[in-house]
Amino acid sequence: MTDSPSGTQLTRVLARKDVLALAFGAMIGWGWIVLTGSWIQSAGSLGAIAAFILGGIAIVLVGLTYAELASAMPQVGGEHVYSYRALGHFASFFCTWAIALGYVSVVAFEAVALPTVVEHLFPGYAVGQLWTIAGWDVQATWVAVGVAGSLAMMAINYVGIRTAALVQKVVTLLILVVGVMFITGALFEGERATMEPLFNTSEGVMGGIMMVLIMVPFMFVGFDVIPQAAEEINLPFREIGRVLMISVILAVFWYALIILGTSLMLDAEALGASSLAVPDAMQAVFQAPWAGNLMVLAGIAGIITSWNAFYVGGSRAIYALAHSGMLPAFLAKLHPKHRTPTNAILLMGLLSCIAPFFGRPALVWLVVAGGLGIVIAYLFVSLSFVVLRIKEPGMARPFKVRQGMTVGVVAVLLSLGLIALYLPGSPSALAPVEWTLFLGWMGLGLVLYGWSRARYGVAFSDKMMYRELAGADPYPGR
């Protein structure tokens, strides 16, 4: 038996606006900047909107299970705590390590996305060829932009959650202002005729919608950052669940309105010729190049919000595992002044800095491999929700979902359906390099888990977990 890996505590400083910006900013990211045109081409204008509404309903159901559990167990680590209480020691590790892959992959993804989108503002800036990966030339200046961004985001998160939250609010506000300019302008300047075809019937109406629907869940990844940072949220427990759900609903409206605005401004021919449909649509609204560049800047802002939020979520997931003795103790170190999980943040920063050296092909590898980890965690959380409704019906649930068992069972089935999208036989199955990333991460986790279990013992993990779950309210009087 050993002492706790960390003798300090996280601090509760995040207010309602901080939490909302954290989750909403994580979900909107920058994918809408580059993918909206392909969504409309695949499903038609109304078909793409329908896909996001249908997919949003599915995410809302999964989000409801998170909302109830987050309000009932507002401890750092989120999924780690829920799955431990419902499913036990190893299930808790597997679930949390899987979602940690999702967070790490997004953090690394943004380090590749930043230099990619900067190219649209400064064409030809990438010089100094280093090597070629998957047919793509990796340039030194291109890599430098990604590494510099990684180091900047790591520094922001290192010095405290307050700084990270402030950056998140300011940058999310920028995205919202530009988005409102675009949507209102498109509603006044756009033409109904440009929205044709409303539905793409080349693969059947539902076929086109399904082509977009399989991408929808990954556009909403980010609301799960709220449970990860639960011990740093200074809100009544019931409000944690409410803010989580509000963030998901806002993201559904955001994507639907961005698709609507783009389809009002660009017809099928213009969409086919556009590499960045939303900035081109913004330029069409105001008839000026500056407007398109402003939207590209909003895309960069989306990179920052997503990057920042997943630094928070990933570092807290890794910290929670280490704090409970499931990973080496040095990853549970908290900074004595800033109260941030410094070594976990540094680890994520290192992995983020490595990603740009693999070039643009790493974008797809990271998204797909990390996406599987995230939907596995969704399954474990949904199962935990159902199990705890059966095992502990009397547990205090400040935010209690109505028709809970029905919602929980449907969330489990939806999570299984999402996992099936990655498996062999599915049109979106993982490629060999993506399986290598996923299995390599999980294999590394099993090695570290085995070492930590031998070093600290299961009894130590039980002691650390039950200290938080034994029933004592960590914030008396709340």
Side-chain angles (χ1 to χ4, degrees):
M1 190 71 65
T2 182
D3 293 329
S4 170
S6 173
T8 58
Q9 292 182 339
L10 297 162
T11 54
R12 294 180 286 110
V13 296
L14 297 179
R16 182 177 282 99
K17 291 180 181 179
D18 300 319
V19 179
L20 191 58
L22 192 67
F24 178 72
M27 282 185 282
I28 59 177
W30 82 301
W32 53 278
I33 286 285
V34 295
L35 295 175
T36 299
S38 65
W39 294 335
I40 297 171
Q41 288 177 303
S42 297
S45 56
L46 288 187
I49 293 171
F52 268 86
I53 292 175
L54 290 172
I57 291 171
I59 297 300
V60 164
L61 290 173
V62 175
L64 282 170
T65 67
Y66 269 87
E68 178 172 299
L69 295 172
S71 68
M73 291 169 279
Q75 281 85 31
V76 65
E79 295 90 345
H80 175 58
V81 180
Y82 319 148
S83 54
Y84 183 91
R85 186 160 182 164
L87 305 173
H89 193 276
F90 180 75
S92 175
F93 169 80
F94 190 85
C95 169
T96 314
W97 188 248
I99 203 167
L101 169 62
Y103 294 143
V104 168
S105 70
V106 173
V107 167
F109 169 90
E110 305 301 359
V112 181
L114 179 63
T116 299
V117 75
V118 166
E119 280 187 303
H120 292 279
L121 292 176
F122 306 102
Y125 87 93
V127 296
Q129 182 171 347
L130 298 176
W131 44 71
T132 301
I133 294 180
W136 198 82
D137 296 331
V138 181
Q139 307 285 346
T141 53
W142 192 92
V143 170
V145 170
V147 172
S150 298
L151 294 174
M153 296 308 301
M154 181 176 68
I156 288 170
N157 279 271
Y158 188 92
V159 299
I161 191 72
R162 287 181 186 273
T163 304
L166 176 61
V167 170
Q168 192 78 356
K169 283 191 294 187
V170 171
V171 180
T172 300
L173 181 61
L174 169 63
I175 299 172
L176 287 173
V177 169
V178 176
V180 170
M181 288 175 59
F182 169 60
I183 293 164
T184 54
L187 290 174
F188 282 104
E189 299 293 331
E191 297 287 341
R192 161 68 176 77
T194 64
M195 294 181 67
E196 298 289 344
L198 299 180
F199 297 93
N200 186 344
T201 58
S202 61
E203 299 289 336
V205 172
M206 286 308 300
I209 291 176
M210 288 298 294
M211 290 176 66
V212 177
L213 190 60
I214 62 172
M215 293 184 267
V216 169
F218 320 119
M219 295 297 105
F220 286 96
V221 170
F223 69 86
D224 40 293
V225 170
I226 291 179
Q228 294 293 342
E231 281 189 27
E232 294 160 283
I233 296 175
N234 190 25
L235 287 174
F237 297 158
R238 181 179 176 84
E239 289 302 304
I240 295 175
R242 285 179 173 173
V243 172
L244 189 153
M245 293 312 305
I246 290 170
S247 69
V248 174
I249 294 168
L250 285 176
V252 174
F253 277 101
W254 173 266
Y255 282 113
L257 289 172
I258 290 293
I259 293 169
L260 175 63
T262 303
S263 63
L264 283 169
M265 298 308 304
L266 301 181
D267 58 21
E269 183 179 353
L271 285 171
S274 174
S275 59
L276 289 178
V278 181
D280 288 345
M282 179 76 161
Q283 183 169 326
V285 169
F286 294 95
Q287 297 294 310
W290 65 262
N293 290 333
L294 180 62
M295 186 59 81
V296 172
L297 288 174
I300 294 176
I303 291 174
I304 293 172
T305 59
S306 181
W307 213 344
N308 190 42
F310 283 99
Y311 254 107
V312 173
S315 60
R316 272 60 177 180
I318 293 171
Y319 163 82
L321 285 172
H323 187 262
S324 62
M326 297 183 190
L327 286 179
F330 78 94
L331 292 170
K333 178 183 176 183
L334 291 180
H335 194 282
K337 177 182 177 182
H338 304 309
R339 297 297 178 88
T340 53
T342 52
N343 288 340
I345 290 171
L346 293 174
L347 173 62
M348 296 192 69
L350 173 63
L351 295 174
S352 183
C353 286
I354 292 172
F357 289 92
F358 291 90
R360 192 177 295 171
L363 282 171
V364 176
W365 302 342
L366 291 166
V367 167
V368 178
L372 177 56
I374 289 169
V375 295
I376 286 174
Y378 287 175
L379 173 62
F380 274 75
V381 171
S382 301
L383 283 171
S384 299
F385 176 90
V386 172
V387 169
L388 288 172
R389 277 295 185 107
I390 296 170
K391 287 174 55 179
E392 300 188 46
M395 182 174 67
R397 293 172 169 88
F399 182 96
K400 189 168 185 176
V401 176
R402 295 179 181 178
Q403 302 296 321
M405 287 302 294
T406 301
V407 170
V409 170
V410 172
V412 168
L413 295 175
L414 289 171
S415 300
L416 288 171
L418 292 176
I419 291 172
L421 296 176
Y422 293 90
L423 302 180
S426 167
S428 53
L430 268 65
V433 66
E434 294 153 1
W435 276 117
T436 300
L437 283 172
F438 176 77
L439 295 176
W441 175 265
M442 300 309 293
L444 173 63
L446 290 175
V447 171
L448 293 174
Y449 174 77
W451 182 90
S452 300
R453 180 167 176 166
R455 174 69 175 85
Y456 308 116
V458 175
F460 174 72
S461 295
D462 291 340
K463 173 186 174 183
M464 298 305 297
M465 295 300 296
Y466 282 119
R467 181 176 295 177
E468 297 183 357
L469 296 174
D473 185 346
Y475 314 129
R478 184 64 60 83

